[in-house]
Amino acid sequence: MLKEEYEAAENEVVKAYYGYQLAAGYFVLKEYDRALEIFEQLDYEALVKGNINNAFYAQMLAAQAALQKRDGKKALLFCDKMLSINRGEPAAYLLCGFALLLEKQIENGMLFIIESFDINEKNPNARFPVNEEVSLNLLEEILGRLHLNDVKLKLKKVRTGMSRGELKQLLDDIRRMMVLMEQRRATAA
């Protein structure tokens, strides 16, 4: 029924809303290809006119669907649009980090994941906060894959009895390390 309403909508705003709902339904059903097909066709300007939060959420679901399909490039396109709507949602940075990691942009991916912690703290009323424990586990895993085991061990130590200040300091250290790694890679190229 929703598909019929989407196809026969009375105007662009209503069509965008029904399309968003249809794509979200496909996403919930884990039909990511079908969800992406609709998300890619949506008129996001019309969706913004109806409700800017729906436009943001549609981009977020689209990015997640692309990540489920292991399509980092497509996820990054949705992430860019998502961040152009709202830069205050921690989960948006986390998704962008995942997409960058998928595209082998490790340092930039790490920077986005770390930024999600900062945004999480700055915006306690975020609609889509980040589960810091899950994110810290991910950071540990990535640090291990980068053979930065000393930093990984430091993160583990800090986590066992960490104060907020110690965590922030360690994340700042990792952030600086990622920037230096990126600069070295750029100079070597």
Side-chain angles (χ1 to χ4, degrees), residues 100-157:
L100 288 162
L101 291 173
L102 192 58
E103 287 300 301
K104 310 270 189 276
Q105 295 182 38
I106 306 304
E107 294 86 359
N108 288 327
M110 291 279 289
L111 290 171
F112 267 84
I113 291 168
I114 291 169
E115 187 67 17
S116 74
F117 285 93
D118 291 344
I119 302 297
N120 215 37
E121 190 169 343
K122 290 175 188 171
N123 189 1
N125 298 320
R127 187 171 177 197
F128 303 104
V130 169
N131 180 326
E132 290 187 358
E133 191 63 28
V134 171
S135 298
L136 288 171
N137 288 338
L138 175 66
L139 281 176
E140 277 186 24
E141 182 181 328
I142 296 166
L143 289 168
R145 289 183 182 191
L146 293 174
H147 306 290
L148 298 171
N149 293 321
D150 53 333
V151 181
K152 179 181 175 181
L153 287 173
K154 191 173 182 182
L155 180 58
K156 270 189 182 212
K157 276 186 192 175

Short mmCIF file of all heavy atoms in Angstrom, two decimals, residues 100-157:
data_model
loop_
_atom_site.label_atom_id
_atom_site.label_comp_id
_atom_site.label_asym_id
_atom_site.label_seq_id
_atom_site.Cartn_x
_atom_site.Cartn_y
_atom_site.Cartn_z
N LEU A 100 34.60 5.60 5.82
CA LEU A 100 35.99 5.90 5.48
C LEU A 100 36.88 4.68 5.72
O LEU A 100 37.78 4.39 4.91
CB LEU A 100 36.48 7.10 6.30
CG LEU A 100 35.89 8.44 5.86
CD1 LEU A 100 36.07 9.49 6.95
CD2 LEU A 100 36.52 8.90 4.56
N LEU A 101 36.66 3.97 6.81
CA LEU A 101 37.43 2.75 7.06
C LEU A 101 37.21 1.73 5.94
O LEU A 101 38.16 1.09 5.49
CB LEU A 101 37.05 2.14 8.41
CG LEU A 101 37.46 2.90 9.65
CD1 LEU A 101 36.86 2.25 10.90
CD2 LEU A 101 38.97 3.01 9.77
N LEU A 102 35.96 1.61 5.52
CA LEU A 102 35.64 0.67 4.45
C LEU A 102 36.36 1.05 3.16
O LEU A 102 36.75 0.17 2.38
CB LEU A 102 34.12 0.65 4.23
CG LEU A 102 33.55 -0.45 3.36
CD1 LEU A 102 33.88 -1.84 3.89
CD2 LEU A 102 32.03 -0.30 3.27
N GLU A 103 36.57 2.33 2.97
CA GLU A 103 37.27 2.81 1.78
C GLU A 103 38.79 2.88 1.99
O GLU A 103 39.49 3.50 1.22
CB GLU A 103 36.73 4.18 1.36
CG GLU A 103 35.37 4.11 0.73
CD GLU A 103 35.36 3.27 -0.52
OE1 GLU A 103 36.11 3.59 -1.46
OE2 GLU A 103 34.62 2.26 -0.56
N LYS A 104 39.25 2.26 3.06
CA LYS A 104 40.69 2.18 3.38
C LYS A 104 41.31 3.54 3.70
O LYS A 104 42.51 3.72 3.58
CB LYS A 104 41.47 1.50 2.26
CG LYS A 104 40.89 0.18 1.79
CD LYS A 104 41.45 -0.97 2.56
CE LYS A 104 41.07 -2.31 1.98
NZ LYS A 104 39.79 -2.81 2.38
N GLN A 105 40.48 4.48 4.10
CA GLN A 105 40.97 5.78 4.57
C GLN A 105 41.02 5.71 6.10
O GLN A 105 40.23 6.34 6.79
CB GLN A 105 40.06 6.91 4.09
CG GLN A 105 40.05 7.06 2.57
CD GLN A 105 39.18 8.23 2.15
OE1 GLN A 105 39.15 9.26 2.82
NE2 GLN A 105 38.48 8.06 1.05
N ILE A 106 41.97 4.92 6.57
CA ILE A 106 42.02 4.53 7.98
C ILE A 106 42.15 5.74 8.91
O ILE A 106 41.39 5.88 9.87
CB ILE A 106 43.18 3.54 8.24
CG1 ILE A 106 43.08 2.32 7.30
CG2 ILE A 106 43.22 3.12 9.70
CD1 ILE A 106 41.80 1.55 7.36
N GLU A 107 43.13 6.60 8.64
CA GLU A 107 43.36 7.73 9.52
C GLU A 107 42.14 8.64 9.60
O GLU A 107 41.71 9.03 10.67
CB GLU A 107 44.60 8.54 9.09
CG GLU A 107 45.90 7.79 9.23
CD GLU A 107 46.25 6.92 8.02
OE1 GLU A 107 45.46 6.88 7.03
OE2 GLU A 107 47.30 6.27 8.05
N ASN A 108 41.56 8.95 8.44
CA ASN A 108 40.37 9.80 8.42
C ASN A 108 39.19 9.12 9.09
O ASN A 108 38.40 9.76 9.80
CB ASN A 108 40.01 10.21 6.99
CG ASN A 108 40.98 11.21 6.43
OD1 ASN A 108 41.52 12.04 7.15
ND2 ASN A 108 41.23 11.14 5.13
N GLY A 109 39.06 7.82 8.89
CA GLY A 109 38.00 7.08 9.57
C GLY A 109 38.15 7.15 11.08
O GLY A 109 37.18 7.37 11.81
N MET A 110 39.37 6.98 11.55
CA MET A 110 39.63 7.07 12.99
C MET A 110 39.30 8.47 13.50
O MET A 110 38.72 8.62 14.58
CB MET A 110 41.09 6.75 13.29
CG MET A 110 41.48 5.31 13.05
SD MET A 110 41.04 4.23 14.41
CE MET A 110 42.21 4.75 15.65
N LEU A 111 39.66 9.49 12.74
CA LEU A 111 39.38 10.86 13.16
C LEU A 111 37.88 11.10 13.30
O LEU A 111 37.43 11.75 14.25
CB LEU A 111 40.01 11.86 12.19
CG LEU A 111 41.54 11.94 12.22
CD1 LEU A 111 42.06 12.78 11.07
CD2 LEU A 111 42.03 12.47 13.55
N PHE A 112 37.11 10.57 12.37
CA PHE A 112 35.65 10.74 12.46
C PHE A 112 35.08 9.98 13.66
O PHE A 112 34.18 10.46 14.34
CB PHE A 112 34.96 10.30 11.16
CG PHE A 112 34.74 11.41 10.20
CD1 PHE A 112 35.75 11.81 9.33
CD2 PHE A 112 33.54 12.09 10.15
CE1 PHE A 112 35.56 12.85 8.45
CE2 PHE A 112 33.33 13.14 9.26
CZ PHE A 112 34.35 13.52 8.41
N ILE A 113 35.60 8.78 13.90
CA ILE A 113 35.11 8.01 15.05
C ILE A 113 35.43 8.75 16.35
O ILE A 113 34.58 8.87 17.23
CB ILE A 113 35.70 6.58 15.04
CG1 ILE A 113 35.11 5.80 13.86
CG2 ILE A 113 35.43 5.88 16.37
CD1 ILE A 113 35.80 4.49 13.56
N ILE A 114 36.64 9.29 16.45
CA ILE A 114 37.02 10.05 17.64
C ILE A 114 36.16 11.31 17.76
O ILE A 114 35.72 11.67 18.85
CB ILE A 114 38.53 10.38 17.62
CG1 ILE A 114 39.33 9.09 17.80
CG2 ILE A 114 38.89 11.40 18.69
CD1 ILE A 114 40.81 9.22 17.54
N GLU A 115 35.88 11.95 16.63
CA GLU A 115 35.02 13.14 16.65
C GLU A 115 33.63 12.81 17.18
O GLU A 115 32.99 13.63 17.84
CB GLU A 115 34.93 13.76 15.25
CG GLU A 115 34.21 15.07 15.18
CD GLU A 115 34.93 16.21 15.90
OE1 GLU A 115 36.13 16.10 16.19
OE2 GLU A 115 34.27 17.22 16.18
N SER A 116 33.16 11.59 16.92
CA SER A 116 31.84 11.20 17.42
C SER A 116 31.80 11.25 18.95
O SER A 116 30.76 11.58 19.53
CB SER A 116 31.44 9.81 16.91
OG SER A 116 32.15 8.77 17.56
N PHE A 117 32.93 10.97 19.61
CA PHE A 117 32.99 11.09 21.07
C PHE A 117 32.82 12.54 21.49
O PHE A 117 32.08 12.84 22.43
CB PHE A 117 34.33 10.58 21.61
CG PHE A 117 34.46 9.09 21.62
CD1 PHE A 117 35.02 8.42 20.56
CD2 PHE A 117 34.02 8.36 22.71
CE1 PHE A 117 35.15 7.05 20.56
CE2 PHE A 117 34.14 6.98 22.74
CZ PHE A 117 34.70 6.32 21.65
N ASP A 118 33.53 13.44 20.79
CA ASP A 118 33.43 14.87 21.13
C ASP A 118 32.02 15.39 20.94
O ASP A 118 31.48 16.10 21.79
CB ASP A 118 34.40 15.69 20.26
CG ASP A 118 35.86 15.43 20.60
OD1 ASP A 118 36.14 14.87 21.68
OD2 ASP A 118 36.72 15.79 19.78
N ILE A 119 31.41 15.03 19.82
CA ILE A 119 30.05 15.49 19.53
C ILE A 119 29.08 14.89 20.55
O ILE A 119 28.15 15.55 21.01
CB ILE A 119 29.63 15.12 18.09
CG1 ILE A 119 30.59 15.72 17.07
CG2 ILE A 119 28.20 15.53 17.81
CD1 ILE A 119 30.62 17.23 17.03
N ASN A 120 29.31 13.66 20.93
CA ASN A 120 28.48 12.99 21.94
C ASN A 120 28.48 13.79 23.25
O ASN A 120 27.44 13.98 23.87
CB ASN A 120 29.01 11.58 22.19
CG ASN A 120 27.95 10.56 22.47
OD1 ASN A 120 26.88 10.60 21.89
ND2 ASN A 120 28.25 9.64 23.34
N GLU A 121 29.66 14.26 23.62
CA GLU A 121 29.79 15.02 24.86
C GLU A 121 29.22 16.43 24.74
O GLU A 121 28.57 16.93 25.65
CB GLU A 121 31.26 15.10 25.27
CG GLU A 121 31.45 15.64 26.66
CD GLU A 121 32.87 15.48 27.16
OE1 GLU A 121 33.63 14.68 26.58
OE2 GLU A 121 33.19 16.15 28.12
N LYS A 122 29.43 17.06 23.58
CA LYS A 122 28.95 18.43 23.38
C LYS A 122 27.44 18.51 23.22
O LYS A 122 26.86 19.55 23.45
CB LYS A 122 29.61 19.04 22.13
CG LYS A 122 31.08 19.33 22.28
CD LYS A 122 31.65 19.81 20.96
CE LYS A 122 33.16 19.92 21.03
NZ LYS A 122 33.76 20.17 19.70
N ASN A 123 26.84 17.41 22.78
CA ASN A 123 25.40 17.41 22.51
C ASN A 123 24.71 16.31 23.31
O ASN A 123 24.34 15.27 22.76
CB ASN A 123 25.16 17.22 21.00
CG ASN A 123 23.72 17.43 20.62
OD1 ASN A 123 22.87 17.73 21.46
ND2 ASN A 123 23.41 17.25 19.35
N PRO A 124 24.52 16.53 24.62
CA PRO A 124 23.91 15.49 25.45
C PRO A 124 22.45 15.20 25.08
O PRO A 124 21.91 14.17 25.47
CB PRO A 124 24.02 16.05 26.87
CG PRO A 124 24.18 17.52 26.71
CD PRO A 124 24.85 17.73 25.38
N ASN A 125 21.83 16.08 24.30
CA ASN A 125 20.45 15.87 23.88
C ASN A 125 20.35 15.34 22.45
O ASN A 125 19.30 15.45 21.81
CB ASN A 125 19.66 17.18 23.99
CG ASN A 125 19.60 17.67 25.42
OD1 ASN A 125 19.43 16.88 26.35
ND2 ASN A 125 19.77 18.96 25.61
N ALA A 126 21.44 14.77 21.97
CA ALA A 126 21.45 14.26 20.60
C ALA A 126 20.37 13.20 20.43
O ALA A 126 20.11 12.40 21.34
CB ALA A 126 22.82 13.67 20.27
N ARG A 127 19.77 13.21 19.29
CA ARG A 127 18.75 12.21 18.99
C ARG A 127 19.40 10.85 18.74
O ARG A 127 18.81 9.80 19.01
CB ARG A 127 17.98 12.66 17.74
CG ARG A 127 16.80 11.80 17.42
CD ARG A 127 15.97 12.41 16.32
NE ARG A 127 14.87 11.54 15.98
CZ ARG A 127 14.18 11.63 14.87
NH1 ARG A 127 14.46 12.57 14.00
NH2 ARG A 127 13.20 10.80 14.62
N PHE A 128 20.64 10.86 18.21
CA PHE A 128 21.35 9.63 17.88
C PHE A 128 22.72 9.62 18.54
O PHE A 128 23.74 9.81 17.88
CB PHE A 128 21.49 9.49 16.35
CG PHE A 128 20.17 9.52 15.65
CD1 PHE A 128 19.77 10.65 14.96
CD2 PHE A 128 19.32 8.42 15.68
CE1 PHE A 128 18.54 10.69 14.31
CE2 PHE A 128 18.10 8.46 15.04
CZ PHE A 128 17.70 9.60 14.35
N PRO A 129 22.75 9.40 19.86
CA PRO A 129 24.04 9.36 20.56
C PRO A 129 24.82 8.10 20.20
O PRO A 129 24.27 7.15 19.65
CB PRO A 129 23.64 9.36 22.03
CG PRO A 129 22.29 8.76 22.06
CD PRO A 129 21.63 9.16 20.75
N VAL A 130 26.10 8.13 20.53
CA VAL A 130 26.99 7.00 20.25
C VAL A 130 27.14 6.18 21.53
O VAL A 130 27.30 6.74 22.61
CB VAL A 130 28.36 7.53 19.78
CG1 VAL A 130 29.40 6.44 19.74
CG2 VAL A 130 28.23 8.19 18.42
N ASN A 131 27.12 4.88 21.38
CA ASN A 131 27.43 3.98 22.48
C ASN A 131 28.95 3.97 22.61
O ASN A 131 29.64 3.35 21.80
CB ASN A 131 26.89 2.58 22.21
CG ASN A 131 27.19 1.61 23.33
OD1 ASN A 131 28.22 1.68 23.99
ND2 ASN A 131 26.28 0.68 23.53
N GLU A 132 29.45 4.67 23.60
CA GLU A 132 30.90 4.86 23.72
C GLU A 132 31.64 3.54 23.94
O GLU A 132 32.75 3.37 23.46
CB GLU A 132 31.22 5.87 24.81
CG GLU A 132 30.82 7.27 24.41
CD GLU A 132 31.26 8.33 25.40
OE1 GLU A 132 31.85 8.00 26.44
OE2 GLU A 132 31.01 9.51 25.10
N GLU A 133 31.04 2.63 24.65
CA GLU A 133 31.71 1.34 24.92
C GLU A 133 31.96 0.59 23.62
O GLU A 133 33.05 0.07 23.38
CB GLU A 133 30.86 0.50 25.88
CG GLU A 133 31.57 -0.71 26.42
CD GLU A 133 32.80 -0.38 27.26
OE1 GLU A 133 32.86 0.69 27.89
OE2 GLU A 133 33.71 -1.23 27.28
N VAL A 134 30.95 0.55 22.75
CA VAL A 134 31.09 -0.12 21.46
C VAL A 134 32.15 0.60 20.62
O VAL A 134 33.00 -0.04 19.98
CB VAL A 134 29.73 -0.17 20.72
CG1 VAL A 134 29.90 -0.66 19.29
CG2 VAL A 134 28.75 -1.05 21.48
N SER A 135 32.13 1.91 20.64
CA SER A 135 33.10 2.68 19.86
C SER A 135 34.52 2.49 20.37
O SER A 135 35.46 2.40 19.59
CB SER A 135 32.73 4.16 19.88
OG SER A 135 31.47 4.35 19.30
N LEU A 136 34.67 2.42 21.68
CA LEU A 136 36.01 2.18 22.24
C LEU A 136 36.52 0.79 21.86
O LEU A 136 37.70 0.62 21.56
CB LEU A 136 35.99 2.36 23.76
CG LEU A 136 35.86 3.80 24.24
CD1 LEU A 136 35.62 3.83 25.75
CD2 LEU A 136 37.07 4.63 23.86
N ASN A 137 35.64 -0.20 21.85
CA ASN A 137 36.03 -1.53 21.40
C ASN A 137 36.51 -1.49 19.95
O ASN A 137 37.51 -2.12 19.59
CB ASN A 137 34.87 -2.52 21.54
CG ASN A 137 34.57 -2.89 22.97
OD1 ASN A 137 35.42 -2.76 23.86
ND2 ASN A 137 33.36 -3.33 23.23
N LEU A 138 35.78 -0.75 19.13
CA LEU A 138 36.16 -0.61 17.72
C LEU A 138 37.53 0.07 17.60
O LEU A 138 38.37 -0.37 16.83
CB LEU A 138 35.10 0.20 16.97
CG LEU A 138 35.42 0.53 15.52
CD1 LEU A 138 35.46 -0.73 14.67
CD2 LEU A 138 34.40 1.51 14.97
N LEU A 139 37.73 1.14 18.37
CA LEU A 139 39.02 1.83 18.32
C LEU A 139 40.16 0.89 18.71
O LEU A 139 41.21 0.88 18.07
CB LEU A 139 39.02 3.05 19.25
CG LEU A 139 38.33 4.29 18.73
CD1 LEU A 139 38.33 5.38 19.81
CD2 LEU A 139 38.99 4.81 17.47
N GLU A 140 39.95 0.09 19.74
CA GLU A 140 40.98 -0.88 20.15
C GLU A 140 41.30 -1.84 19.02
O GLU A 140 42.46 -2.14 18.75
CB GLU A 140 40.51 -1.67 21.38
CG GLU A 140 40.74 -0.97 22.68
CD GLU A 140 40.39 -1.85 23.87
OE1 GLU A 140 40.40 -3.10 23.76
OE2 GLU A 140 40.09 -1.28 24.92
N GLU A 141 40.26 -2.33 18.36
CA GLU A 141 40.46 -3.27 17.26
C GLU A 141 41.25 -2.63 16.12
O GLU A 141 42.17 -3.23 15.58
CB GLU A 141 39.10 -3.76 16.75
CG GLU A 141 39.21 -4.78 15.64
CD GLU A 141 37.85 -5.23 15.13
OE1 GLU A 141 36.89 -5.28 15.92
OE2 GLU A 141 37.77 -5.53 13.93
N ILE A 142 40.90 -1.41 15.77
CA ILE A 142 41.59 -0.72 14.68
C ILE A 142 43.04 -0.45 15.05
O ILE A 142 43.95 -0.64 14.24
CB ILE A 142 40.86 0.58 14.30
CG1 ILE A 142 39.47 0.27 13.76
CG2 ILE A 142 41.66 1.37 13.27
CD1 ILE A 142 38.56 1.47 13.68
N LEU A 143 43.27 -0.01 16.28
CA LEU A 143 44.64 0.23 16.73
C LEU A 143 45.48 -1.04 16.63
O LEU A 143 46.64 -1.00 16.22
CB LEU A 143 44.65 0.77 18.16
CG LEU A 143 44.13 2.20 18.34
CD1 LEU A 143 43.91 2.51 19.81
CD2 LEU A 143 45.08 3.21 17.70
N GLY A 144 44.89 -2.17 16.98
CA GLY A 144 45.59 -3.45 16.84
C GLY A 144 45.92 -3.76 15.39
O GLY A 144 47.03 -4.20 15.08
N ARG A 145 44.97 -3.49 14.50
CA ARG A 145 45.20 -3.76 13.07
C ARG A 145 46.26 -2.83 12.48
O ARG A 145 46.91 -3.18 11.51
CB ARG A 145 43.90 -3.63 12.29
CG ARG A 145 42.95 -4.75 12.57
CD ARG A 145 41.71 -4.64 11.73
NE ARG A 145 40.80 -5.71 12.08
CZ ARG A 145 39.73 -5.99 11.38
NH1 ARG A 145 39.43 -5.30 10.31
NH2 ARG A 145 38.94 -6.98 11.76
N LEU A 146 46.39 -1.65 13.07
CA LEU A 146 47.42 -0.71 12.62
C LEU A 146 48.77 -0.99 13.29
O LEU A 146 49.72 -0.25 13.09
CB LEU A 146 46.99 0.73 12.92
CG LEU A 146 45.80 1.27 12.15
CD1 LEU A 146 45.40 2.65 12.66
CD2 LEU A 146 46.12 1.33 10.66
N HIS A 147 48.80 -2.05 14.07
CA HIS A 147 50.01 -2.44 14.82
C HIS A 147 50.45 -1.36 15.79
O HIS A 147 51.63 -1.18 16.04
CB HIS A 147 51.15 -2.83 13.87
CG HIS A 147 50.75 -3.89 12.90
ND1 HIS A 147 50.51 -5.20 13.28
CD2 HIS A 147 50.48 -3.84 11.56
CE1 HIS A 147 50.13 -5.90 12.22
NE2 HIS A 147 50.11 -5.11 11.18
N LEU A 148 49.49 -0.64 16.33
CA LEU A 148 49.75 0.37 17.35
C LEU A 148 49.36 -0.23 18.71
O LEU A 148 48.53 0.29 19.44
CB LEU A 148 48.95 1.64 17.05
CG LEU A 148 49.29 2.34 15.73
CD1 LEU A 148 48.31 3.46 15.43
CD2 LEU A 148 50.72 2.88 15.77
N ASN A 149 50.00 -1.35 19.00
CA ASN A 149 49.63 -2.11 20.20
C ASN A 149 49.91 -1.37 21.49
O ASN A 149 49.18 -1.55 22.47
CB ASN A 149 50.33 -3.47 20.18
CG ASN A 149 49.79 -4.34 19.05
OD1 ASN A 149 48.59 -4.34 18.78
ND2 ASN A 149 50.67 -5.05 18.37
N ASP A 150 50.94 -0.53 21.51
CA ASP A 150 51.22 0.23 22.73
C ASP A 150 50.07 1.20 23.03
O ASP A 150 49.64 1.35 24.17
CB ASP A 150 52.55 0.97 22.65
CG ASP A 150 52.67 1.84 21.39
OD1 ASP A 150 52.03 1.53 20.37
OD2 ASP A 150 53.42 2.84 21.45
N VAL A 151 49.52 1.82 21.99
CA VAL A 151 48.39 2.74 22.17
C VAL A 151 47.14 1.93 22.54
O VAL A 151 46.35 2.35 23.39
CB VAL A 151 48.14 3.58 20.90
CG1 VAL A 151 46.99 4.53 21.09
CG2 VAL A 151 49.40 4.33 20.51
N LYS A 152 46.98 0.77 21.91
CA LYS A 152 45.85 -0.10 22.23
C LYS A 152 45.90 -0.49 23.70
O LYS A 152 44.87 -0.44 24.39
CB LYS A 152 45.89 -1.34 21.34
CG LYS A 152 44.78 -2.32 21.61
CD LYS A 152 44.91 -3.54 20.71
CE LYS A 152 43.86 -4.57 21.08
NZ LYS A 152 43.96 -5.76 20.25
N LEU A 153 47.06 -0.87 24.19
CA LEU A 153 47.20 -1.25 25.60
C LEU A 153 46.91 -0.07 26.52
O LEU A 153 46.27 -0.22 27.57
CB LEU A 153 48.59 -1.81 25.87
CG LEU A 153 48.86 -3.20 25.32
CD1 LEU A 153 50.33 -3.58 25.50
CD2 LEU A 153 47.96 -4.23 25.98
N LYS A 154 47.37 1.11 26.12
CA LYS A 154 47.11 2.31 26.92
C LYS A 154 45.61 2.58 26.99
O LYS A 154 45.08 2.92 28.04
CB LYS A 154 47.86 3.50 26.31
CG LYS A 154 47.89 4.72 27.18
CD LYS A 154 48.79 5.79 26.58
CE LYS A 154 48.86 7.00 27.47
NZ LYS A 154 49.67 8.06 26.89
N LEU A 155 44.93 2.41 25.87
CA LEU A 155 43.47 2.61 25.84
C LEU A 155 42.79 1.60 26.77
O LEU A 155 41.89 1.96 27.52
CB LEU A 155 42.94 2.48 24.41
CG LEU A 155 41.43 2.67 24.22
CD1 LEU A 155 40.97 4.03 24.71
CD2 LEU A 155 41.07 2.49 22.75
N LYS A 156 43.24 0.35 26.72
CA LYS A 156 42.66 -0.67 27.61
C LYS A 156 42.86 -0.29 29.07
O LYS A 156 41.95 -0.42 29.88
CB LYS A 156 43.31 -2.03 27.34
CG LYS A 156 42.61 -2.84 26.31
CD LYS A 156 43.17 -4.24 26.26
CE LYS A 156 42.44 -4.96 25.16
NZ LYS A 156 42.26 -6.33 25.36
N LYS A 157 44.07 0.17 29.41
CA LYS A 157 44.37 0.56 30.80
C LYS A 157 43.49 1.72 31.23
O LYS A 157 42.92 1.72 32.31
CB LYS A 157 45.84 0.97 30.94
CG LYS A 157 46.79 -0.16 31.14
CD LYS A 157 48.18 0.42 31.41
CE LYS A 157 49.23 -0.65 31.33
NZ LYS A 157 50.57 -0.13 31.46
#
